[in-house]
């Protein structure tokens, strides 16, 4: 019996000295594990003289229960303390506003494309997607530029290692594809997409840039339709008060050909620099589809007529947002892209 009392005392003293949960669990193994001292003491009842067995067994069970209660209480305490510690040391204020996720956005080139597409959609134009890798025939010849035609000098071209396969220099070859696909139906489409030219890169010229081509073919399409379409477009994109000016020009695939300018607000401090003092800014080339091109598309020029236009959307974006260097578009500098 005195051994039991000593065991209880020692176990309680050691329990009191345990500083954390790990120490408590070690204590539990020592006293209540498979060969723990409390179990050994219970088993020891066999060696006790018969007349003392009963009181020894009762006492051993009492000690077992007392130690178990004490242990559970200490363990709960230790857990609570650990929780309190972590709540004060690693404090988390759930009422603070969360950290905002950095949200992505559309590239300015995509935004302006969608804006332009939306305006032409309102005017009844559908989008036709045409390939970026072209053949010489479609990029030049079928657009009324036979080999060695001097007009080809206007389009410095990237050639692939396959003879006759090139990167399109403009979206105009798409005119041939759409006419051949839809002939003899009337056509009213825009053809947006990337173009490539083997050019000196400057603040105004890149080797890759986007264009939006427009093509309208029907039985009585006239120059007035072209002018009305362009004026409606320019005023939607640049402002209702914009004046539009048409100058005669030359493209092999349109006859007559024009270039289109818009006036620039005189109170804009950039006006003089942008318009080189003229007050006018060029926004696109256009004209009536050349009879040769109509025929190459499958349409009889005696019966059908059409207009076409082509604009460079990076240049247009530069005008709209006063961007002074075209190289910003594909430089992937977030300080630039984040402004739109
Ligand atoms: C053409 O490409 C004609 N296909 C446009 C056309 C279509 C005329 C249909 C008539 C009928 P041009 O080479 O001028 O034309 O280019 C059209 C526009 O593309 C230019 O006004 C300019 O805005 C843009 N562009 C041309 N070269 C570059 C370049 N290197 N970098 C950025 N934009 C360019």
């Amino acid at each position: 019996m005195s051994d039991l009392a000593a065991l209880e005392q020692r176990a309680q003293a050691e329990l009191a000295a345990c500083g954390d949960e790990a120490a408590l669990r070690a204590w539990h193994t020592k006293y209540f594990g498979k060969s723990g001292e409390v179990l050994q003491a219970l088993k020891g009842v066999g060696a006790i003289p018969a007349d003392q067995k009963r009181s020894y067994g009762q006492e051993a069970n009492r000690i077992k229960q007392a130690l178990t209660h004490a242990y559970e209480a200490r363990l709960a305490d230790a857990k609570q303390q650990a929780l309190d510690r972590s709540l004060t040391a690693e404090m988390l204020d759930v009422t603070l506003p969360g950290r905002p996720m950095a949200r992505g956005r559309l590239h300015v080139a995509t935004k302006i494309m969608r804006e332009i597409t939306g305006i032409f959609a309102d005017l009844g134009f559908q989008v036709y997607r045409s390939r970026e890798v072209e053949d010489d025939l479609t990029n030049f010849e079928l657009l009324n530029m036979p080999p060695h035609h001097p007009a080809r000098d206007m389009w410095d071209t990237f050639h692939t290692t396959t003879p006759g396969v090139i990167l399109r220099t403009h979206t105009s070859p798409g005119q041939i594809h759409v006419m051949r696909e839809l002939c003899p139906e009337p056509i009213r489409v825009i053809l947006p997409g990337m173009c490539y030219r083997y050019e000196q890169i400057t603040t105004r010229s890149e080797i890759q840039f986007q264009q939006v081509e427009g093509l309208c073919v029907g039985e009585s399409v006239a120059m007035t339709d072209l002018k009305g379409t362009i004026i409606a477009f320019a005023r939607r994109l640049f402002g209702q008060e914009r004046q539009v000016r048409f100058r005669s020009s030359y493209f092999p695939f349109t006859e007559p050909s024009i270039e289109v300018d818009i006036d620039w607000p005189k109170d804009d401090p950039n006006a003089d620099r942008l318009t080189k003092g003229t007050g006018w800014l060029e926004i696109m080339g256009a004209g009536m589809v050349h009879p040769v091109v109509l025929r190459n598309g499958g349409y009889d020029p005696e019966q059908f007529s059409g207009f076409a236009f082509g604009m460079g959307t990076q240049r247009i974006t530069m005008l709209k947002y006063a961007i002074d260097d075209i190289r910003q578009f594909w430089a992937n500098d977030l300080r630039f892209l984040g402004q739109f």
Side-chain angles (χ1 to χ4, degrees), residues 155 170 172 197 199 206 209 211 213 309-310 312 315 326:
W155 292 279
H170 51 174
S172 300
R197 292 188 196 177
E199 281 193 6
E206 257 288 4
F209 55 93
Q211 286 189 343
E213 187 91 5
F309 55 82
R315 294 258 179 90
I326 198 171

Side-chain angles (χ1 to χ4, degrees), residues 55-321:
S55 54
Y56 179 93
Q58 279 175 346
E59 181 62 2
N61 269 318
R62 187 196 60 77
I63 289 176
K64 181 185 168 199
Q65 270 182 12
L67 288 178
T68 305
H69 283 317
Y71 168 74
E72 281 168 359
R74 284 294 320 267
L75 191 63
D77 255 15
K79 282 188 174 161
Q80 185 60 45
Q81 275 172 19
L83 181 64
D84 289 346
R85 255 198 316 278
S86 104
L87 282 177
T88 38
E90 303 146 30
M91 197 156 54
L92 174 73
D93 184 350
V94 292
T95 63
L96 282 175
R99 288 193 196 106
M101 296 271 287
R103 284 179 74 188
R105 65 181 75 204
L106 292 177
H107 194 287
V108 61
T110 309
K111 279 193 177 161
I112 203 97
M113 255 321 173
R114 290 194 180 177
E115 201 177 337
I116 292 173
T117 312
I119 295 171
F120 281 112
D122 290 349
L123 295 171
F125 285 76
Q126 289 180 293
V127 172
Y128 186 93
R129 295 225 167 258
S130 185
R131 65 198 68 170
E132 291 177 23
V133 179
E134 266 297 352
D135 51 18
D136 184 277
L137 185 73
T138 321
N139 195 82
F140 293 116
E141 271 187 64
L142 297 174
L143 292 174
N144 203 24
M145 280 177 279
H148 311 298
H149 192 289
R152 286 190 178 211
D153 288 349
M154 287 157 63
W155 292 279
D156 300 301
T157 309
F158 282 113
H159 295 262
T160 68
T161 46
T162 311
V165 177
I166 62 173
L167 300 186
R168 69 174 175 191
T169 57
H170 51 174
T171 41
S172 300
Q175 290 187 29
I176 299 293
H177 293 297
V178 70
M179 282 194 280
R180 289 188 169 180
E181 189 177 320
L182 298 184
C183 180
E185 297 296 318
I187 296 173
R188 207 190 288 167
V189 294
I190 55 167
L191 305 104
M194 198 63 88
C195 305
Y196 305 86
R197 292 188 196 177
Y198 184 55
E199 281 193 6
Q200 180 84 38
I201 298 176
T202 66
T203 51
R204 282 176 53 77
S205 296
E206 257 288 4
I207 57 170
Q208 68 169 72
F209 55 93
Q210 289 169 307
Q211 286 189 343
V212 174
E213 187 91 5
L215 177 68
C216 174
V217 178
E219 295 219 19
S220 54
V221 177
M223 190 81 173
T224 47
D225 300 314
L226 171 62
K227 290 167 87 172
T229 303
I230 290 176
I231 291 170
F233 164 74
R235 291 190 176 158
R236 277 281 298 275
L237 192 66
F238 290 103
Q240 283 307 319
E241 63 289 353
R242 288 278 72 72
Q243 295 298 311
V244 179
R245 180 173 85 167
F246 299 95
R247 280 180 292 115
S248 66
S249 182
Y250 170 75
F251 295 101
F253 31 88
T254 46
E255 179 58 37
S257 301
I258 57 173
E259 257 163 318
V260 182
D261 303 333
I262 55 169
D263 72 331
W264 201 249
K266 293 187 182 44
D267 50 354
D268 181 338
N270 290 316
D272 254 13
R273 183 175 57 81
L274 283 169
T275 68
K276 300 191 185 98
T278 64
W280 296 95
L281 263 174
E282 184 192 318
I283 58 164
M284 68 174 88
M288 300 306 292
V289 181
H290 197 286
V292 168
V293 177
L294 278 175
R295 201 173 293 118
N296 287 339
Y299 289 84
D300 177 0
E302 296 297 323
Q303 189 187 349
F304 290 94
S305 55
F307 68 73
F309 55 82
M311 66 188 107
T313 55
Q314 270 69 64
R315 294 258 179 90
I316 282 182
T317 313
M318 290 169 81
L319 298 179
K320 197 166 154 74
Y321 296 117

